[in-house]
Amino acid sequence: MKRLLTIQDVSCVGQCSLTVALPLVSACGVECAVLPGAVLSNHTGGFTGWTFADLTGEFAKVEAKWREQSIKFDAFYTGYVCEGQIEPILSIMNSCANPGALRIVDPAMADNGRLYAGFGPDFPSKMARLCDGADYILPNLTEAAFLAGEEPVLEGYSREWIERLAGKLHALGARNVVLTGVSFERGLLGSAVSDGTKVEYDFNPRLDRMSHGTGDVYASVFAGAVLRGRSALDAAALAADVVCEAIKATDPGHWYGVSFEKTIPMLSAALSGGDAE
Ligand code: PXL
């Protein structure tokens, strides 16, 4: 079994970050080790306040202990992280990697044209450091624009524009760019998957509901599926299917996350056929 380390916060309530990644990566049939970067009472998207305990000070100690014990990972998957964690994360990725270990970076920092509460305007340039050398980055269109140093454009763009944006993210040093939330016609929403030579697309019917935590569901399934040998396009398609099923399974009154728990049987079944080459 492959072993992945995910580095992101624990939002104790809110169905995002680690409380999503751990069950979903595990459901993919991949061992999921965790390094929590912070503990929050709840996520910052819609609650009226939150507590925040920064665990950055643990990173160097944990890395030293892992070095001592030669603990290595087949992949690293980062999500919502703080500014001071970027360099320590790069250090862990360098010192605790099995040969060929993958770096999967979800630059979780913004959505709907705005940075999340608590991130300043220079944070995207820090996040760009993590994208340099990543095997896969998974930005939504807001994050992609901020990483490229542009103003977000959320509708009315062309295929050429999307592919130019992907090109700018390759220029940051990312090998594969998966842009999420791409839409060229009102009824369809999907992903653009670029390997630097070609861009492929996957679309699902748009579900007209604003949902929190879907980026984390997407990234967790994508990471698990890639580690199970799926291509980036297949992993993106499975991740989008799981997000759609999770949204449909969510009670309309349940506002702070999606009921991804109900998709676990379908996800395990989709990846049950052994590792693809
Ligand atoms: O889902 C991304 C996310 C992760 N962690 C925290 C958040 C958010 C989005 O708002 O607030 C703490």
Side-chain angles (χ1 to χ4, degrees):
M1 202 183 264
K2 294 271 174 61
R3 176 158 63 183
L4 170 149
L5 172 66
T6 187
I7 307 173
Q8 45 188 317
D9 71 286
V10 178
S11 286
C12 299
V13 169
Q15 286 171 311
C16 71
S17 36
L18 267 188
T19 65
V20 167
L22 191 46
L24 286 179
V25 171
S26 302
C28 290
V30 172
E31 180 184 339
C32 188
V34 303
L35 180 55
V39 177
L40 293 83
S41 52
N42 43 266
H43 66 60
T44 67
F47 291 96
T48 48
W50 51 89
T51 66
F52 186 95
D54 188 339
L55 300 179
T56 312
E58 293 299 304
F59 281 34
K61 293 186 261 176
V62 168
E63 180 186 347
K65 194 53 71 185
W66 285 345
R67 273 174 181 264
E68 212 175 283
Q69 300 172 87
S70 298
I71 289 174
K72 310 271 187 208
F73 302 97
D74 302 305
F76 302 92
Y77 153 36
T78 66
Y80 180 105
V81 299
C82 317
E83 191 169 323
Q85 293 169 355
I86 306 284
E87 295 305 322
I89 289 171
L90 289 167
S91 176
I92 290 170
M93 286 173 163
N94 284 327
S95 62
C96 300
N98 274 329
L102 294 176
R103 298 181 178 193
I104 302 166
V105 172
D106 177 12
M109 60 182 173
D111 205 0
N112 300 312
R114 298 178 51 192
L115 285 167
Y116 291 147
F119 289 125
D122 60 344
F123 185 70
S125 66
K126 306 287 187 314
M127 185 59 94
R129 289 265 304 132
L130 262 192
C131 297
D132 185 2
D135 294 284
Y136 302 92
I137 63 169
L138 312 169
N140 61 39
L141 291 189
T142 301
E143 290 158 347
F146 286 146
L147 285 169
E150 294 182 0
E151 284 302 310
V153 177
L154 300 180
E155 52 187 22
Y157 44 76
S158 63
R159 244 165 223 261
E160 291 68 33
W161 187 86
I162 286 290
E163 295 179 13
R164 246 195 335 269
L165 184 57
K168 288 181 182 162
L169 301 184
H170 285 298
L172 295 178
R175 266 183 277 287
N176 295 278
V177 174
V178 180
L179 293 174
T180 63
V182 174
S183 182
F184 300 118
E185 50 182 296
R186 177 89 199 99
L188 293 178
L189 189 63
S191 319
V193 180
S194 172
D195 67 1
T197 62
K198 63 180 183 314
V199 184
E200 298 172 291
Y201 292 89
D202 171 72
F203 291 103
N204 278 352
R206 180 194 289 271
L207 300 170
D208 262 325
R209 264 169 74 179
M210 162 52 210
S211 306
H212 286 286
T214 50
D216 299 339
V217 172
Y218 184 101
S220 301
V221 173
F222 181 91
V226 162
L227 280 203
R228 293 296 306 277
R230 280 13 179 220
S231 69
L233 185 63
D234 286 352
L238 179 60
D241 289 348
V242 170
V243 167
C244 290
E245 286 311 305
I247 293 172
K248 287 189 220 156
T250 305
D251 188 281
H254 182 80
W255 66 270
Y256 59 73
V258 291
S259 298
F260 69 89
E261 297 84 353
K262 294 182 188 157
T263 69
I264 287 178
M266 160 253 201
L267 174 59
S268 301
L271 293 174
S272 66
D275 287 4
E277 283 312 316

